Amino acid sequence: MTTTLSSPADVIGTVDTRLVIGGRRTEASDGARFDVLDPATGEVLAAVADATPQDGRAAVVAAVAAQAGWAAVPARKRGEILRRAHEALLADTERLATIMTLEMGKSLTEARGEVRYAAEFFRWFAEEAVRLEGWYGHTPDGASRAIVASQPVGPCLLITPWNFPLAMGTRKIGPALAAGCTVVLKPAPQTPLSSLALADVLAASGVPEGVVSVLPGSRAAEVVEPLLRGGDIRKLSFTGSTAVGRILLEQASTAIVRTSLELGGNAPFVVLADADLDEAVDGAMAAKMRNMGEACTAANRMFVHRSLAAEFGRRLAERMGALRVGNGLDEGTEVGPLIDAPSLAKVGSLVDDAVSRGAQVLVGGAPAEGPGYFYPPTVLTDVAPDSALCATEIFGPVAAIQVFDDVDDAIARANATEWGLVGYVFTRDVDRALAVSEALEVGMVGLNVGVVSNPALPFGGVKQSGLGREGGRHGIAEFLEQKLVVLPKRG
Ligand code: NAP
């Protein structure tokens, strides 16, 4: 769809703000709605239907009813539907990016990039739909024949965070639909409009009724727990904080629901003495400032060798300080607002704590005046390891530099966290690069690069950063069971 829309209100007006249950649009069963705010102004953008536990139940009933039919659709056809959805998202980039900027705050440039990234999950999994693996063979004793076939795991519950409102949805819906699973998506309450718009794109692309339900709401715990414990949902795919992931993992244990968790991170960013400084600063800008630092992959702790630390800090502060902060809708804005008032308060208190423990502020360091939840790009150096921001996801545009002398000490400090999503290493020495990559307790490493995310590659963490992988060939396996058929070998 190509749209010419004159105002933000026009754009928001294109989104149907009712729930999607089994392909039908409906109000919440109790008629409730909740407000979605623009973080750049604090003003209400829209009131969205607020799903109840009864609505949750209805969505699962629809997903169960549609499951066998969707699994029976030939894989090629499922792939073609996803491929159409890929094209449709790209054709609708301006509208979808504007919706995302309005409800989440990121700049239009970043929002357009996210539409492309989100669409790419549909293209990748459209291609994977026809490559589900199987196996045929004989048992080692020669007495039996056996077939191993991939089958969809069944109805899935997908829960997404607010920081990538479109891509976190397509990263789950793409593989689920390609595998032949039906889904119930519960988006974050801050950013439900992108998911509601996505539901229309999917329906227009040919996804049959019942295959995708979308349940925005402000009562997640009430809605989700009975669904997870109820036995009809066969798969949970969750992206969000480790604290919530832990709660959901316990709830999933009741009915032994297959579970994938993409949780928080505390990424180390290690610059060794022989690093190319230009490359390291470019990498730091990407690893820190993508999504204003509101990313699970954000470089949370920067460890820089003493010989480079002063120059690295100076250059990074210069680049960060030059970024244009403002309403994401203004072309040219590079850094939008944080998502809400609690996030702004949290980032401010983390910086204050680090400064009280001796950190030096190279640029930024204090929140902007309202309205909106703006925090300026900030660089701190000589951060003490016991600062709160070393043990917390900052989730804001704050680079925190620690100085090191010895690589083993840097690795030990990098690993001194319960998280293990991603790490970044900058060095020109390939042996050292690989040795440090092996030693970091993380699921992904960026070597001389500040972004690792790509729909064709397996994304995920170790330790308390999660279970399972999204994207790549691994992403679809999370939505498949292996069915074994054994028969005696008589001929
Ligand atoms: P969050 O508070 O954990 O919420 C994530 C989602 O879970 C939201 O939809 C939320 O809805 C829902 N939720 C919260 N409590 C729930 C409960 N008891 N039962 C069912 N659902 C519940 O995380 P967030 O603040 O939205 O997102 C930021 C976090 O996501 C960060 O930790 C970040 O690192 C992580 N993240 C990880 C990845 C990754 O791939 N590893 C990617 C992006 C973000 P309500 O708000 O309504 O409760």
Side-chain angles (χ1 to χ4, degrees), residues 159-164 168 171 186-190 217-218 220-221 224 238-242 244 247-248 262-265 295-296 393 395 421 459 465:
I159 303 179
T160 51
W162 49 263
N163 58 345
F164 292 97
M168 295 301 98
R171 190 160 82 164
K186 196 218 81 68
Q190 296 91 337
S218 67
V224 164
F238 170 75
T239 297
S241 62
T242 297
V244 173
I247 293 169
L248 298 179
E262 294 289 350
L263 306 177
C296 52
E393 287 187 284
F395 247 58
L421 188 60
F459 184 104
S465 286

Side-chain angles (χ1 to χ4, degrees), residues 327-362:
N327 188 319
L329 286 182
D330 299 334
E331 295 287 355
T333 289
E334 292 167 295
V335 183
L338 298 179
I339 188 69
D340 53 22
S343 294
L344 181 63
K346 177 187 150 191
V347 172
S349 77
L350 288 173
V351 170
D352 293 346
D353 169 79
V355 171
S356 76
R357 290 168 199 273
Q360 308 293 313
V361 180
L362 297 183

